[in-house]
Amino acid sequence: MLTREEAPRLDGDPALPAESARRLYRTMLTARLLDTEAVALQRQGVFPAYVSLRGQEAAQVGSAAAMDARRDFAFPTYREMAVALALGVDMAGYMASHRALWHGGLYDPMAARFAPVNAVVGGPVPHAVGWALGEKLAGRSGCAVSYFGDGASSEGDVHEAMNLAGVMGAPVVFVCQNNQWALSVPNERQIAGGSVAARAAGYGMPGVAVDGDDVAAVYTAVREALERARSGDGPSLVEALTYRAAPHSTSDDTSRYRDPDEERAWAERDPLPRARAALEAAGHADAAFFEQAEAECRAEAERIRDTVSAAPEPPGSDLFAHVYREPTEELARQRRVWQEEVA
Amino acid sequence: MSPTATDTPGAASAPAVPATMREALNRALDEALAEDPATLVFGEDVGRLGGVFRVTEGLQRRHGEHRVFDTPLAEAAIAGMSVGLAMNGWRPVPELQFDGFAYPAMDQIVNQIARMNYRSRGAAPMPVTVRIPSFGGIQAPEHHGESLEAVFAHVPGLKVAAPSDAPDAYRLLLQSVRCDDPVVFLEPKARYWDRSPSPAGAGPVEDAAVGTSRVVRPGRHATLVAWGAMVHRCLQAAEAAAEDGVELEVVDLRWLKPIDAAGLAESVGRTRRAVVVHEAPLTAGLGGEVSALITEGAFSRLAAPVQRVAGFDVVYPAGPLEPQYLPTVDRILFAVQRTFE
């Protein structure tokens, strides 16, 4: 396992233009506040469960900000809320997945260029490769970005997908958010050899590990990988070394498997204060900016919270509505049974 | 009707369907590739080699390496890439080389392909046809003779087809590729090379619409229901029974999901007796579903309980034991006899 200090840093100045840096900070802050609201909603019984991304804001916002939202396409699993936010996904529709209104969320994944929420951690990775290959076959210039974690890096589908991407030269960027914990299992019991990024070499693609809590570093690495894919040089793997500051889900209990000291130590690496300090050090933002950002981002998080909380539950007929494009007589018959005996 | 309508694949003037199922499937894929530039054919060895059964022979040469291509030996990736291709506007027709090797792709087929239209509330349809050379009867190694139809038919979101002869294989495959829902297409490899004429003959592609069955031999004393290679076995049984003056009707179910419940009830309503025949193991096989549908749809007409003739509940055996395992003409006739007791 590469430590944060050993992880290769990108050459050159990772500093972003002032306006971009401020925008990324605001997105990270909104994600943090919305995440906090979501945990509260679970406590209040509005969400049956929630999976927090606390600690991964820089990895998610930095990577998503590198995408071209008009032509690229993101393939998430279920902890990519800040990616959705950065890509402009309808967030009440996104959070509807956590309110259990609809498995995949209630946003339009094709319009948002952000695939439906997927609970199979390795499952969407070959989807991203297929989408990217489709883009190449069509002679278009979009790239796919595949999100997965250190746990999913053990899944066979991820290896098959990476090899396929390497063989086919698919324009896809694999973004592994290594948050150190696959539910209760730490990296050393998950990743033989210690590095997901190192595996890229075996699939004929560049792999780089970056400080996943440094939003500029993540942005720069993913942007480079996207440029490479877009210019026809094939796939890349970016491993963003970060930390899952919260439990795996609201049903999880970290005290059973990890040292509270580790969680306390994380506070020093928290990507939000780091981004704030970087903005201040670069002279990109002053106290008034942070005050305004806090107020506006909180208002946005609360608006999303209130919208998803008030969203109507789906009608029972939605059980049947999307199973097929071309409905079958048998399912129509079962719908009549539901209508007569359940509805 | 446009002036070129008579050139449309599947129209009345289309050239006669080839004599073998292998050639008929090849023709269907050729036409599917020609009629829709979004159609892609890919899988293990389907490109340069033309597939281990030569079903895709010549397609790469005719349609290009970007439309017909080899993939790495990775079934989950083959099925999984189909999802992304479909989300990007393509119409994938992946091949999984053998039935037993569909299992490594099962997560992608069941959890992803079958559900993406639902999960996305119709925003991301999956017009994917997963072709799988299937069933037994060719003395193949382990995992090369399995019958997975009940597994796939159990999955919401999938449709399942299994042709029994060349003309119908052509029609069913075109119907499957044109369908905007995912179809698992199970090809009876034991029938790939058979040249015996189709009892039902050729007909327009429209005749094989999703959810239809067909009567391949009319009869009035009992109905045999089968799919894939077992249709041929049932026809042999019907031929034998005819020598004793017993007229058996043979229904080729061909769409295993959705099943033509009305067609089954119609046939059995006339004959009053039914025997379901399949290669898959008996317990929880699709024969149970067919039997239930017949019972529900034609109970008052049934003169006897529906009989099932299936593979035994054992591991699919090696070559010399295949004839012991697969339903035989005798077993089918014994079952018919039981419906008269």
Side-chain angles (χ1 to χ4, degrees):
Chain A
M1 174 66 219
L2 290 173
T3 66
R4 215 157 290 274
E5 292 68 34
E6 288 165 345
R9 295 298 300 262
L10 296 164
D11 293 329
D13 182 5
L16 294 165
E19 183 48 40
S20 302
R22 285 194 294 264
R23 184 167 49 81
L24 296 191
Y25 175 78
R26 288 172 61 103
T27 308
M28 290 169 62
L29 181 58
T30 305
R32 173 66 58 89
L33 294 167
L34 180 55
D35 191 73
T36 306
E37 293 289 353
V39 173
L41 285 178
Q42 191 278 330
R43 299 286 183 255
Q44 295 158 22
V46 180
F47 287 4
Y50 178 68
V51 284
S52 172
L53 67 107
R54 189 179 181 85
Q56 298 174 222
E57 292 88 350
Q60 295 192 9
V61 173
S63 56
M67 292 173 61
D68 181 341
R70 292 162 304 169
R71 53 180 167 172
D72 296 340
F73 207 108
F75 288 82
T77 58
Y78 55 77
R79 204 189 295 279
E80 273 70 62
M81 183 264 272
V83 176
L85 187 69
L87 290 177
V89 173
D90 162 29
M91 290 309 291
Y94 177 88
M95 298 305 269
S97 172
H98 295 303
R99 216 193 117 195
L101 294 179
W102 198 257
H103 294 319
L106 287 171
Y107 55 94
D108 181 339
M110 303 310 289
R113 304 183 82 72
F114 181 87
V117 173
N118 207 310
V120 183
V121 293
V125 182
H127 305 176
V129 178
W131 190 93
L133 189 63
E135 199 70 359
K136 182 178 175 178
L137 291 172
R140 291 189 294 261
S141 60
C143 302
V145 177
S146 174
Y147 286 94
F148 60 97
D150 44 301
S153 78
S154 300
E155 292 277 7
D157 282 23
V158 174
H159 295 268
E160 290 194 17
M162 286 189 183
N163 185 58
L164 177 70
V167 167
M168 299 284 191
V172 54
V173 178
F174 300 99
V175 176
C176 175
Q177 296 172 77
N178 181 347
N179 69 12
Q180 314 298 318
W181 291 92
L183 217 166
S184 70
V185 176
N187 267 194
E188 58 266 27
R189 296 192 68 82
Q190 191 72 242
I191 305 167
S195 168
V196 176
R199 292 177 181 173
Y203 302 120
M205 67 176 97
V208 60
V210 298
D211 182 344
D213 297 331
D214 178 341
V215 67
V218 175
Y219 171 84
T220 306
V222 175
R223 193 188 161 107
E224 272 189 15
L226 281 166
E227 281 170 2
R228 189 184 138 75
R230 217 180 301 285
S231 63
D233 291 332
S236 303
L237 169 60
V238 176
E239 181 182 9
L241 298 166
T242 180
Y243 191 70
R244 194 196 75 210
H248 165 73
S249 75
T250 46
S251 311
D252 182 27
D253 175 9
T254 58
S255 72
R256 294 173 71 91
Y257 57 83
R258 75 181 180 188
D259 187 344
D261 286 346
E262 182 187 294
E263 296 180 21
R264 280 191 285 276
W266 166 79
E268 292 169 25
R269 314 199 300 249
D270 185 337
L272 271 139
R274 285 182 64 182
R276 177 178 177 133
L279 280 174
E280 286 170 333
H284 288 337
D286 55 17
F289 165 80
F290 290 113
E291 195 175 322
Q292 189 185 355
E294 176 80 19
E296 290 176 2
C297 294
R298 186 171 299 282
E300 175 65 0
E302 290 174 355
R303 183 194 66 75
I304 295 164
R305 174 200 67 193
D306 293 344
T307 307
V308 70
S309 298
E313 290 186 0
S317 59
D318 269 18
L319 281 173
F320 305 94
H322 303 291
V323 178
Y324 293 108
R325 304 285 292 184
E326 301 167 12
T328 64
E329 280 180 30
E330 172 57 19
L331 202 55
R333 186 194 67 77
Q334 293 180 23
R335 191 184 187 286
R336 289 194 296 276
V337 170
W338 165 80
Q339 186 76 48
E340 290 162 13
E341 301 177 5
V342 182
Chain B
M1 189 162 279
S2 74
T4 57
T6 50
D7 296 324
T8 306
S13 70
V17 171
T20 67
M21 186 183 292
R22 183 198 71 78
E23 295 165 302
L25 293 167
N26 181 270
R27 164 84 61 80
L29 289 172
D30 191 28
E31 291 182 9
L33 285 158
E35 74 182 14
D36 184 351
T39 302
L40 300 175
V41 169
F42 54 90
E44 297 159 15
D45 309 297
V46 304
R48 192 189 296 181
L49 177 66
V52 292
F53 293 103
R54 307 294 183 266
V55 170
T56 57
E57 188 163 49
L59 298 179
Q60 186 179 69
R61 185 169 40 77
R62 284 200 289 285
H63 300 281
E65 291 186 11
H66 62 298
R67 307 269 317 276
V68 180
F69 53 88
D70 292 321
T71 65
L73 200 167
E75 289 82 6
I78 292 167
M81 70 192 283
S82 303
V83 175
L85 284 163
M87 288 178 73
N88 209 348
W90 297 93
R91 189 169 287 268
V93 188
E95 175 181 306
L96 299 176
Q97 200 163 75
F98 284 96
D99 34 63
F101 306 136
Y103 287 116
M106 206 54 93
D107 174 67
Q108 288 293 339
I109 296 171
V110 174
N111 283 333
Q112 305 296 343
I113 293 175
R115 290 173 179 234
M116 192 56 86
N117 186 69
Y118 177 91
R119 187 182 291 143
S120 69
R121 298 180 64 82
M126 290 287 117
V128 180
T129 302
V130 183
R131 290 183 42 249
I132 311 175
S134 292
F135 310 117
I138 63 164
Q139 302 206 332
E142 191 176 5
H143 312 301
H144 294 65
E146 312 289 324
S147 300
L148 276 65
E149 67 270 26
V151 178
F152 292 120
H154 195 60
V155 177
L158 294 180
K159 293 174 177 174
V160 184
S164 66
D165 64 28
D168 217 41
Y170 167 82
R171 289 187 287 255
L172 284 171
L173 186 50
L174 277 175
Q175 286 281 352
S176 299
V177 175
R178 291 171 186 170
C179 180
D180 284 338
D181 291 307
V183 177
V184 176
F185 194 85
L186 306 173
E187 300 169 2
K189 55 181 93 81
R191 307 298 296 164
Y192 272 145
W193 308 281
D194 187 79
R195 308 192 83 86
S196 56
S198 165
V205 174
E206 291 66 32
D207 286 356
V210 176
T212 57
S213 63
R214 60 174 187 157
V215 175
V216 290
R217 179 184 173 114
R220 59 194 176 97
H221 294 131
T223 297
L224 306 180
V225 184
W227 49 90
M230 286 299 106
V231 172
H232 182 69
R233 187 62 47 89
C234 287
L235 288 168
Q236 291 174 317
E239 198 65 36
E243 291 169 14
D244 294 334
V246 178
E247 298 174 26
L248 298 178
E249 179 148 306
V250 180
V251 172
D252 176 4
L253 199 58
R254 72 181 180 184
W255 281 101
L256 310 185
K257 190 175 192 178
I259 291 176
D260 181 11
L264 290 172
E266 192 280 324
S267 173
V268 180
R270 277 188 287 103
T271 64
R272 307 191 64 197
R273 292 170 173 84
V275 177
V276 194
V277 182
H278 61 67
E279 297 184 29
L282 178 74
T283 300
L286 205 61
E289 184 69 26
V290 171
S291 171
L293 287 170
I294 290 170
T295 307
E296 289 166 3
F299 182 71
S300 64
R301 298 285 304 151
L302 275 175
V306 178
Q307 298 293 311
R308 292 177 292 165
V309 178
F312 302 109
D313 287 352
V314 300
V315 172
Y316 191 84
L321 295 180
E322 265 189 328
Q324 311 292 318
Y325 171 89
L326 291 170
T328 59
V329 167
D330 282 352
R331 284 184 65 202
I332 295 167
L333 293 177
F334 280 129
V336 170
Q337 202 170 339
R338 284 196 294 275
T339 67
F340 284 93
E341 288 166 358

